[in-house]
Every structure is written in C-alpha cells, then in structure tokens.
Amino acid sequence: MSKIKRAISVDEIEKMKFIELQLSPFFGKLLGSPERSGVWIVWGESFNGKTAFSLQLAKELTMSGKVFYNTLEEGARKSFQTAVINNNMKEVSRKFIIGNRESIENLKERLRKKKSPDIIFIDSIQYTGMTKKEYQSLKEEFSNKLFIFISHADGKNPKGALANFVKYDADIKIRVEGYKAMCLSRLGGDKEPYIIWAEGAAQYDFNLKQ
C-alpha cells in the first residue's frame, strides 16, 4: 500500500522558491518566466528551422546552467556539425556538451552523478524508445532538471502517441514552422513568433502567398 503524501497549505505554496531561468529580452518575450525544471516540447516538420531553433535555445539556456544536448536521431554527423558551427555554439562550449546518440539508460546514469547537467535536450523523442510510463519515471526521478524534447510533426501536432502525451504534459510547448517558433506557455510569454532565420522566414511567407 502506497504512502499518502502530506498535503501542502496555501502559505507553503506561496512561500516556495523556484530557480527561474535567466533570459534575454527576445527569449523572455517568447517564453515568459519559466523555472529551471519540468518538461518542454519543441516540434515541427523537417527543413523548417527546428534544429537551428533548438540550438539557439540551448545557447540561451547556458546562462542558467549546464546544458546537455543529446542528438539521439542525427548523431555527431556532418549535418549536426554544420548546425553547431552556424549557431556559433563554440561561444558557450564550457556549458554546452553533446551526447552522441546516448541511450536513455546511459543518460540516467549521467544525471545521477554530481554536477550533472541542469538542462537536457533530447532530439528526438521518436528515437528514445520510451513508453509513457518510462517518460513519467524519468521526469519524476529527475524532477530538479529541465527536459526539452524535440519532436517530429504530424501536421500541426507532434508525431506519435508519446510525443502528444508529452505535449499535453509540458509546461512550455513550441511549434516551429517556416523558420518561426510559436510558443504556448503556462507562464506568460508573447504571442508574437520568434524569428529563427529572417531570410528563410521571409521566403517561406512569400511562397505561401503565391
């Protein structure tokens, strides 16, 4: 028989302190004032700027902690190397490390160590092989971490049952389309999209009008 957790009073919840992310004005407008824990999800079709946005976001989040970017799908290949160079990730190399197709079990071992990463990108969720139960277990064991899942898209939504489950569970949901990132957050934020690549976004909008 499981033990019932003690309920929390109004006074206790009001006095709780959370580690908030340090964000520049551009990302602050998009995301609001999120804490450095929980779950986010980013999704979009291929060739719409999803990887570029994820790296730009990762670079931003190094202001708030150590970032681990697990490139499960792509691996340490030339295409990912190009994205890393184009987004000048070398500027934050002391606080940004890359996982080369690191399994979820190996990731857990990494996160159990002292001074482990604070913020974890998993790209992509379709390559984790996780069930909903395993996802919940990961989130609960490392409740002090921020997990950001990158997902393929099926139309306007993430692709697959697990990705959709994470979307509804996530504190921040970001859809990428046409080199723009659009955010739905529980913590405020602007409804105006974040421009990932101005030239690409302008060309995408132009093509839509044709």
Side-chain angles (χ1 to χ4, degrees), residues 7-55:
I8 299 171
S9 71
V10 172
D11 283 344
E12 286 174 318
I13 191 74
E14 288 185 350
K15 290 175 183 176
M16 282 183 175
K17 302 293 183 183
F18 299 96
I19 301 173
E20 289 191 6
L21 294 170
Q22 299 176 48
L23 298 172
S24 64
F26 287 110
F27 275 95
K29 280 187 68 177
L30 178 72
L31 302 171
S33 303
E35 63 183 279
R36 199 188 65 183
S37 62
V39 173
W40 301 5
I41 186 168
V42 178
W43 74 93
E45 299 282 358
S46 298
F47 307 110
N48 274 253
K50 189 172 68 221
T51 299
F53 172 74
S54 298
L55 288 173

Side-chain angles (χ1 to χ4, degrees), residues 6-193:
R6 188 179 69 85
I8 299 171
S9 71
V10 172
D11 283 344
E12 286 174 318
I13 191 74
E14 288 185 350
K15 290 175 183 176
M16 282 183 175
K17 302 293 183 183
F18 299 96
I19 301 173
E20 289 191 6
L21 294 170
Q22 299 176 48
L23 298 172
S24 64
F26 287 110
F27 275 95
K29 280 187 68 177
L30 178 72
L31 302 171
S33 303
E35 63 183 279
R36 199 188 65 183
S37 62
V39 173
W40 301 5
I41 186 168
V42 178
W43 74 93
E45 299 282 358
S46 298
F47 307 110
N48 274 253
K50 189 172 68 221
T51 299
F53 172 74
S54 298
L55 288 173
Q56 289 171 26
L57 178 59
K59 190 174 186 179
E60 177 79 7
L61 296 181
T62 59
M63 293 194 299
S64 300
K66 188 176 180 182
V67 176
F68 181 73
Y69 194 106
N70 192 9
T71 175
L72 260 179
E73 177 179 347
E74 199 169 357
R77 301 182 66 191
K78 184 173 176 58
S79 54
F80 189 72
Q81 179 194 60
T82 300
V84 166
I85 293 170
N86 287 346
N87 288 282
N88 200 12
M89 300 305 290
K90 194 170 184 178
E91 285 186 338
V92 295
S93 59
R94 292 182 65 184
K95 297 185 75 176
F96 177 77
I97 54 175
I98 298 164
N100 183 15
R101 292 177 172 160
E102 186 165 298
S103 70
I104 296 300
E105 286 307 311
N106 286 349
L107 173 62
K108 286 180 178 180
E109 289 303 313
R110 179 186 294 277
L111 297 181
R112 287 173 185 138
K113 294 177 181 178
K114 290 182 179 180
K115 298 183 179 179
S116 63
D118 307 291
I119 301 158
I120 302 95
F121 284 74
I122 298 178
D123 187 3
S124 62
I125 193 170
Q126 283 76 24
Y127 280 68
T128 63
M130 286 194 299
T131 63
K132 293 177 185 178
K133 186 175 181 180
E134 288 167 337
Y135 156 75
Q136 289 173 317
S137 175
L138 178 72
K139 184 182 77 165
E140 287 168 11
E141 181 176 353
F142 304 103
S143 58
N144 62 329
K145 307 290 187 183
L146 173 58
F147 290 95
I148 301 173
F149 291 91
I150 317 302
S151 174
H152 294 273
D154 184 6
K156 300 290 185 182
N157 291 301
K159 186 175 183 179
L162 177 61
N164 271 290
F165 181 79
V166 173
K167 176 191 171 186
Y168 288 105
D169 188 50
D171 297 307
I172 290 181
K173 317 159 205 298
I174 302 169
R175 184 170 68 85
V176 172
E177 182 181 348
Y179 299 99
K180 298 176 186 176
M182 291 143 281
C183 179
L184 177 62
S185 169
R186 296 174 181 169
L187 302 161
D190 202 322
K191 299 304 179 187
E192 286 297 311

